[in-house]
Amino acid sequence: MSKETLSFQAEVSRLLDIVANSLYSNKEVFLRELISNASDACDKLRYAAITEPELARDDQDYRISISFDPDQRTVTVADSGIGMNRDELIENLGTIASSGTLKFMDQLEQAKDPQGAVNLIGQFGVGFYSAFVVADKVEVESRKAGEHQGWRWTSDGRGEFTVEPCDEAPARGTRVRLRMKASEDEFLSDQRLRRIVQTYSDHIAIPIYLGEGEAAEQINTASALWTRPKSEISEQQYTEFYHHAAHAMDDPWMRLHFKAEGKVEFTCLLFVPSQKPFDLFNPDRKHGVKLYVRRIFITDDCEELVPAYLRFLRGVVDSEDLPLNVSREVLQHNPLVTKIRKTLVKRVLGELKKKAEKEPEAYAQFWETFGAVLKEGLYEDPEQKDALLELARFRSSTRDGLVSLEGYVQAMKPGQESIYIITGDSPEALKKSPQLEGFQAKGVEVLLLSDPIDDFWTSAVGRYKDYPIKSVTRGSAELDRIAGEEKAESEADGDVQESKAREADVATLVAYLKTSLSGEVKDVRASQRLTESACCLVADEGDMDIHLERLLRQHTNGGDASKRILEINPKHPLIRRLAERASGAANGGGASAGNGGGSHTGNGGQDELQDAALLLLDQARIVEGETLTDPSSFARRLSQLVAKGLAA
């Protein structure tokens, strides 16, 4: 039979165009594809020889060989697998509608052979086209096991290919020879080819040799640690594998090694580091879990395999079901990956829960290292919300160490209906917040949240079990409903009439402040939450939390801050004195009844009250970490106030 010239199937021509425009993220994957195809061919023959032993009787040595010739500018990948005849070359390399592997798997399923599991991977004739990324001509010589005639397939990837008889084809199997493009000298190197194999194909069960004849050297270990029984793997072997897989020097904090069986089968060997990876919060980071299919490396950047809030994980996932074809570059659309992800997440969170229950001190160390990342799942993964809430730990206003939400609920005061939180930049700064004073006076615990994600997940989650999660910097304090530890204030220092007068004075001051600060605050009210500070700012019930708004303004290059509620402490000496002044001014400018007596009439008294009102607001802003709108005016008012105090 003479040489035939045929055209590629239309879909193949489209695929070649895509490949030419860098479908694959790295050119070096061409070798991964050719090796996986060669491994596939060996596995096919190994299985076929079970029922037809004559197919492999002359040579039962399954191997993959790689060689290169710098002078001829060729890279060759050969295997001793099942090989292809003329029709199979045309079908497998000229079309993508059906693949050799797919048909073989269909036959295997129909046969229902009890020996079952044969390690078959992917589709020969899909990943194969990645060869044209680095080669301007590809030549395939093949002889099918059990047949005498060999065949040669040749193409430059430009729409046509030729098929012809070939006596130089291997005695059995396939040889793929690539004539490398002028720009691809890097692949004509022993060290480069060796490194690619060790990166992508080290754990393929078929031995891979580099070189020819007696100089050929096996360059893969042909052993996958995760496929071995756990009883056969030592702690040292696990640790060494972690060091290799994670490129890390620390020892793993936790290990998870299991095989999932059922509708989706995969083996998983994962590690939690004991130290925080340097790129944990780097936007350009890559996930540390590598995806394998039947021991062939696919990618270390499959974002759909592991959710972002588990990105600290290191290790491998080896699937028995995923196809090894071009879709590996778009794995996010594969439903099998979604099922693997769900199983993996459930197992990891389950192991973390066991660790938290059995080794709380060790778990506390983990939480300090990775808690901020894990909490991202509370915002991103509603399906795992309950499991993640059980794992969450927090700093507290009333006790040292970390507390769980369940531990918080068990310590709630009679009458307390909410879980109280406060968000800010650090636990130390939060403990000094004036908004905590009333809660501290009643012995009510407040969780101190200082990670940026805390402002987002608390709003998204809303509650834990039957308890709303409520910020102490937003809305009313509701402390009057809670039975506390504070001592009842005695009326011995004044009669009821004086108390009512003070309340009236405070009401007058509140009314004055509302008018005076009408363009600066949303409202003014007497505070339940303050016991020591004179004033503070809080967000209204339906408004954005103060710290969250500040974070968002920082990321959007400014913007006007929302108007807040100014709360004043009626029992603070400064507020009492201002209330007396405001009451005196409201009653016609007469002398106030407060300490120091004297008359404050006319515009001078009004100016003093106005300055005091603005100073109170600026003081509250400073405590909240806000930037003053007019620092110069604040400094002037403060200087005048101090000067008057020193002159008195």
Side-chain angles (χ1 to χ4, degrees), residues 146-162:
E147 298 187 6
H148 297 290
Q149 183 62 60
W151 297 89
R152 179 184 292 119
W153 180 99
T154 308
S155 179
D156 59 5
R158 297 178 181 176
E160 294 182 339
F161 60 91
T162 63

Side-chain angles (χ1 to χ4, degrees), residues 525-537:
R525 66 190 181 203
S527 178
Q528 287 185 335
R529 73 189 84 217
L530 296 174
T531 60
E532 299 177 5
S533 300
C535 61
C536 71
L537 289 172

Side-chain angles (χ1 to χ4, degrees), residues 189-248:
S189 161
D190 179 287
Q191 292 300 318
R192 185 72 170 104
L193 296 174
R194 185 186 303 267
R195 188 162 58 250
I196 294 172
V197 172
Q198 291 174 346
T199 299
Y200 291 103
S201 307
D202 189 55
H203 301 291
I204 283 182
I206 307 298
I208 302 173
Y209 292 86
L210 180 60
E212 296 179 306
E214 296 181 357
E217 175 189 358
Q218 184 173 337
I219 57 175
N220 70 320
T221 59
S223 172
L225 184 75
W226 58 87
T227 63
R228 296 165 53 184
K230 289 187 283 187
S231 60
E232 298 180 6
I233 307 174
S234 67
E235 288 295 325
Q236 182 178 359
Q237 288 174 317
Y238 273 125
T239 300
E240 289 176 353
F241 181 82
Y242 164 74
H243 290 159
H244 168 74
H247 301 285

Side-chain angles (χ1 to χ4, degrees), residues 391-561:
L391 294 173
R393 298 293 185 270
F394 307 96
R395 295 289 175 186
S396 164
S397 63
T398 59
R399 45 180 150 172
D400 296 329
L402 297 173
V403 58
S404 67
L405 289 175
E406 186 61 32
Y408 179 98
V409 168
Q410 293 176 359
M412 287 172 63
K413 296 293 182 181
Q416 182 179 347
E417 299 176 352
S418 301
I419 296 172
Y420 292 105
I421 63 167
I422 184 171
T423 59
D425 297 329
S426 71
E428 293 74 20
L430 289 173
K431 285 183 177 180
K432 301 175 183 178
S433 175
Q435 286 96 337
L436 292 184
E437 292 172 359
F439 296 88
Q440 291 172 330
K442 290 209 169 197
V444 176
E445 187 172 26
V446 178
L447 300 179
L448 312 176
L449 280 56
S450 57
D451 293 315
I453 190 62
D454 290 326
D455 289 282
F456 298 92
W457 75 258
T458 49
S459 298
V461 170
R463 62 176 55 240
Y464 171 70
K465 294 184 176 179
D466 296 327
Y467 303 97
I469 298 174
K470 184 176 177 60
S471 173
V472 301
T473 65
R474 183 165 55 192
S476 58
E478 302 174 349
L479 287 170
D480 54 341
R481 305 176 186 175
I482 303 173
E485 301 169 355
E486 83 282 12
K487 296 179 181 179
E489 186 171 310
S490 173
E491 294 287 344
D493 60 344
D495 57 20
V496 175
Q497 293 297 325
E498 183 177 354
S499 177
K500 289 183 177 180
R502 287 179 175 175
E503 289 180 5
D505 290 347
V506 170
T508 301
L509 176 62
V510 167
Y512 175 81
L513 292 175
K514 286 182 179 181
T515 302
S516 180
L517 302 176
S518 60
E520 301 291 335
V521 298
K522 190 173 186 178
D523 195 8
V524 181
R525 66 190 181 203
S527 178
Q528 287 185 335
R529 73 189 84 217
L530 296 174
T531 60
E532 299 177 5
S533 300
C535 61
C536 71
L537 289 172
V538 297
D540 203 357
E541 191 68 48
D543 291 348
M544 186 180 296
D545 190 77
I546 295 176
H547 186 254
L548 173 58
E549 182 180 282
R550 184 160 66 245
L551 283 177
L552 294 177
R553 289 208 315 272
Q554 291 172 354
H555 285 82
T556 55
N557 297 321
D560 295 333

Side-chain angles (χ1 to χ4, degrees), residues 41-112:
C42 291
D43 285 333
K44 284 183 179 180
L45 179 58
R46 179 179 286 161
Y47 181 80
I50 295 175
T51 55
E52 300 179 70
E54 65 276 7
L55 294 178
R57 182 176 292 123
D58 295 337
D59 182 8
Q60 298 185 11
D61 180 21
Y62 298 99
R63 59 187 286 157
I64 300 169
S65 300
I66 303 171
S67 61
F68 65 98
D69 186 335
D71 296 330
Q72 298 296 320
R73 301 189 57 77
T74 60
V75 172
T76 303
V77 178
D79 66 73
S80 58
I82 197 164
M84 290 177 285
N85 57 28
R86 172 190 173 276
D87 293 341
E88 289 171 330
L89 281 170
I90 294 173
E91 183 178 11
N92 292 337
L93 305 187
T95 69
I96 58 173
S98 60
S99 74
T101 296
L102 183 59
K103 285 188 175 181
F104 178 73
M105 289 295 288
D106 289 341
Q107 294 171 3
L108 176 63
E109 185 177 1
Q110 293 170 7
K112 298 182 180 179

Side-chain angles (χ1 to χ4, degrees), residues 15 27 37 67 110 155 172 200 215 276 287 367 464 524 543 558 562 571 585 602:
L15 180 63
K27 293 180 179 180
N37 290 338
S67 61
Q110 293 170 7
S155 179
R172 185 193 73 212
Y200 291 103
K276 187 182 300 183
H287 287 245
W367 187 260
Y464 171 70
V524 181
D543 291 348
S562 301
K571 299 176 183 178

